[in-house]
Each structure stands twice: as C-alpha cells, then as structure tokens.
Amino acid sequence: MDRRASSPSSGEALLFLTDEQLRQGIEAMFFAYRGFTADPDRILADMAYGRAHHRAIHFIGRAPNTTVNNLLNILGVTKQSLNRVLRTLIADGLVESKVGRMDKRERHLNLTQAGRTLEQTLSDAQRARMRAAFREAGPDAVSGFRTVLEAMMDGEMRATYGRLKDTTS
Amino acid sequence: MDRRASSPSSGEALLFLTDEQLRQGIEAMFFAYRGFTADPDRILADMAYGRAHHRAIHFIGRAPNTTVNNLLNILGVTKQSLNRVLRTLIADGLVESKVGRMDKRERHLNLTQAGRTLEQTLSDAQRARMRAAFREAGPDAVSGFRTVLEAMMDGEMRATYGRLKDTTS
DNA sequence: GTTGGAGTGTCAACAACACTGACATAAACT
DNA sequence: AGTTTATGTCAGTGTTGTTGACACTCCAAC
C-alpha cells in the first residue's frame, strides 16, 4: 500500500499529501466538528430544540426576509424537513412568516425579538469557542483554515457560502 | 453591537477576530463538513448503511483489535447506539468480534477482508476530496487548517485525536 | 377567461440514529 | 461471597432526515 500521495505533480516530496496526513485531516475534521457543535447543542438540549432549529435560526438571522425556498437551498434539506422545524419556531414565536407582497406563494421569514435573543445566545457560545481557537492558532493558521475549508466545499455550497459572505463583508 | 473582538490583548487590529470573521468561520465549517461527508454518504446510501456505520468501520480499521469500550470513547455515543450498528456489521461479515485472551469480558474488534474492502472504498472517496482541497490550498494552509481544528476540539477529544495520530505517526 | 403546468408551502407516514432506563451475563477484583 | 467492570439486549422516546400526496398561487398559452 503506497503511503505517498498518488501521482505527485513534480519530483517534490509533497509530504503534506501522504495518505497518513490525509487521514489525520479527516479525523481532525471529525473531532473538531464535534467540538464545534457541542456548545449550542448543550444549550438547545434544555429546550425542545435541536441542531436543525439552530441552523434555521442562524440563517434566517443572517439573511433576513428570505423565502422558504432560499433557506432550503442554503440548508440542503427537503422542504418537508425544514417545514417541521419552521412550524415549531413560528408556533413558539421565534420566527415570523409573512406572505409575499409580490408573489403570494412565497413566505418571507424573519426573526422576532425573542428569536434574535436566542440566536445571540447560541451564536455567542459558538463564537466564543471559535474565537479561542482562532486566537490560539494565530492569523496565518486562520487564513489557511479558511482556504482549506473553502476548497473542501462542493461547488454549489461554495457559491452559497460566497454569496452570504459578501452580503456583510 | 460591537463588531470588533472583545478585549484584544494589545492595541493591534486583530482583524481575524472580528465577529464577522468568526461568523464566516462558523459558516465555512458548516458548509465544508457537508462536503466532507457527501462522498461516503452517497456510497453508503446504496447499501443499507449510514454514517454511523462508516464511523465505526473507520475507527475499527484505524485501531485494530480495539475493544468495544475504547471504540465507545472515540465515537462519543452510547453503547446501545453503537451496539445496533456493530450488530449489523458483524452479521454482515464486515467486522469480527473475538473474546479477549487476557480479559475474557472484553471483545476485540477487527475488520474482515470484506470490511477492509469497504473501508478502503469509503476512505478513498473521502481522501480524494481532502487531497484535492489540500493540494489546492497548499502546505502552509494545510498546516493552519490542522492547527485551528485541533484548537477547536474539546480537551478529551484532543487527547483521543493525539493518541490516534501517534500510533501511526 | 380558462386551463394546464410550474412554483411554493403543508400535512402525514416512515426510517435512521441518537438518547435514557432497566436488566442479564460473565469475568475479574477484593 | 460480594462488588465492580465489560458487554449485550429490550423497550421506549426524540430529533431529523426521507417520500408521497395535496392545496394554493402565478403565469403563459390557447
């Protein structure tokens, strides 16, 4: 079994592309993602909510007045799945849904005051961990971190990510 | 709302710690993780398996002869949850479970030949994406990527990750 | 102006996979 | 002998994903 990356583009070592390095990258991603979601998960566990609610709240806060369909594309789930989450959030008064003025088929989504408060709480917890990690790693590492993550996304997601990124740049 | 990181340690700008930068980091993590799991998910969808089976197979392959309890600690799930997965993998002849020689209470887990084949298939798909991302980003970015991910883990996970990393170093 | 197709959202039922709690068994430890 | 440890299992529950069926709205072709 070859431990060296297949077909290196030059005679160079390219040590960072060995299978072992790649496997460590995979495992780092697995463990880090657990840490990444741990704090919001803890907060949400006390309410009747889960990670799906967090994601919905996050992106509604991020792209106010968005439609259900747009949110669907961002989240990458079926509309039925999103709808269940959305229904409870609306019933609990965290999100409000307004029929579109131009196109009455559409529903435009926004956080209520209570929704913004919860969003802030969850986001504070997650940002605190991210901030600590960023600070510990330093600016150069952070830049590399983002470069690799962007390269790891699917084309579609990268476009969505870029679009979101640019709105507040 | 303060857009600057709270209490910077010096008069420096620390631009990489602004709330906006942190939020972009959070979203990058979300989208990248989707890409990260997309390829194995596609393969597994055709079989009767899911992501949980993939994780079990990965870490059994990584830490051969491991015990159930050890695997439990790595995966961070309950034994009931792991057992359901393990039962099907053993029934399907992908994993074999042997009573411990020293301590007969323990079960030692190993991949069978069929298990190794599947592990290789899944891992090839995931590594291909990781390799492409690493190559595109370059060695410095990769180093930063790993530094940030390690800093993002919980203490326990970081220990587990380090232990795994060292076995094959 | 009506009809048909496309777009959008909702309800219902089901599957995967996590959780808790309770309990059984066997081996090891004291 | 009594306790702890390692593992497995049964039953019940919750979150979150899926597909299928259906209702409402818009628009364009007839």
Side-chain angles (χ1 to χ4, degrees):
Chain A
M1 210 97 72
D2 189 10
R3 299 176 53 77
R4 177 64 46 87
S6 51
S7 60
S9 52
S10 79
E12 256 184 278
L14 290 178
L15 274 175
F16 73 112
L17 285 177
T18 60
D19 279 0
E20 177 56 24
Q21 294 287 318
L22 293 169
R23 184 158 61 171
Q24 283 178 30
I26 288 170
E27 286 169 5
M29 197 69 186
F30 171 69
F31 289 118
Y33 198 78
R34 278 237 301 270
F36 172 69
T37 57
D39 302 319
D41 281 356
R42 251 190 301 276
I43 296 173
L44 290 160
D46 295 337
M47 320 180 174
Y49 296 141
R51 207 175 288 176
H53 299 83
H54 179 198
R55 290 197 285 260
I57 288 176
H58 174 98
F59 285 109
I60 293 172
R62 186 78 155 101
N65 220 38
T66 187
T67 63
V68 172
N69 219 3
N70 183 35
L71 197 53
L72 239 40
N73 290 329
I74 294 174
L75 293 173
V77 296
T78 59
K79 59 181 178 174
Q80 293 89 333
S81 195
L82 174 60
N83 187 253
R84 183 173 353 90
V85 168
L86 231 37
R87 210 185 320 168
T88 70
L89 290 177
I90 292 170
D92 295 350
L94 298 174
V95 169
E96 64 175 4
S97 158
K98 280 181 305 190
V99 173
R101 248 185 336 155
M102 300 307 187
D103 188 334
K104 289 184 191 161
R105 290 172 303 182
E106 295 177 339
R107 302 298 139 87
H108 294 274
L109 303 170
N110 285 286
L111 295 180
T112 63
Q113 189 51 53
R116 263 190 297 276
T117 303
L118 178 56
E119 197 280 329
Q120 200 63 37
T121 306
L122 295 171
S123 149
D124 281 351
Q126 202 159 37
R127 267 206 295 265
R129 180 185 291 259
M130 187 72 74
R131 183 180 294 119
F134 275 18
R135 196 194 302 276
E136 190 182 327
D140 291 345
V142 168
S143 159
F145 165 75
R146 302 231 332 231
T147 304
V148 172
L149 288 190
E150 283 198 45
M152 207 169 350
M153 298 176 196
D154 270 346
E156 257 183 81
M157 295 178 212
R158 202 178 316 179
T160 304
Y161 169 73
R163 224 174 300 122
L164 279 171
K165 201 171 63 173
D166 291 343
T167 56
T168 355
S169 74
Chain B
M1 211 102 69
D2 189 9
R3 298 176 53 78
R4 177 63 46 87
S6 51
S7 61
S9 51
S10 79
E12 255 184 278
L14 290 178
L15 273 177
F16 73 112
L17 285 177
T18 60
D19 279 0
E20 177 55 25
Q21 294 287 317
L22 293 169
R23 184 158 61 171
Q24 282 178 30
I26 288 170
E27 288 171 2
M29 197 70 186
F30 170 68
F31 290 117
Y33 197 77
R34 277 239 301 272
F36 172 70
T37 56
D39 302 319
D41 280 356
R42 250 190 301 275
I43 296 173
L44 289 160
D46 295 337
M47 321 180 173
Y49 297 140
R51 207 175 287 178
H53 299 84
H54 180 198
R55 289 196 286 260
I57 288 176
H58 174 98
F59 285 109
I60 292 172
R62 184 77 156 103
N65 222 36
T66 186
T67 64
V68 172
N69 224 358
N70 185 34
L71 195 54
L72 239 39
N73 290 330
I74 293 175
L75 293 174
V77 295
T78 59
K79 63 175 178 176
Q80 293 91 328
S81 203
L82 175 59
N83 189 254
R84 180 173 1 92
V85 169
L86 229 39
R87 213 183 321 171
T88 69
L89 289 177
I90 292 170
D92 294 351
L94 298 175
V95 169
E96 65 176 2
S97 160
K98 280 182 308 191
V99 172
R101 246 187 338 157
M102 300 305 187
D103 189 333
K104 291 183 191 161
R105 290 171 305 180
E106 296 178 340
R107 302 296 142 88
H108 295 275
L109 303 170
N110 285 286
L111 294 181
T112 62
Q113 190 50 55
R116 261 191 298 276
T117 303
L118 178 56
E119 197 280 328
Q120 201 64 37
T121 305
L122 294 171
S123 147
D124 280 352
Q126 202 159 37
R127 267 206 296 264
R129 180 185 292 260
M130 186 73 71
R131 183 180 296 119
F134 275 17
R135 196 195 302 276
E136 189 181 328
D140 291 345
V142 168
S143 160
F145 165 74
R146 300 233 331 233
T147 304
V148 173
L149 288 190
E150 283 198 46
M152 209 170 346
M153 297 176 197
D154 270 347
E156 255 182 82
M157 298 178 210
R158 203 178 317 181
T160 303
Y161 169 73
R163 224 174 300 122
L164 278 173
K165 200 172 63 174
D166 291 343
T167 55
T168 353
S169 72

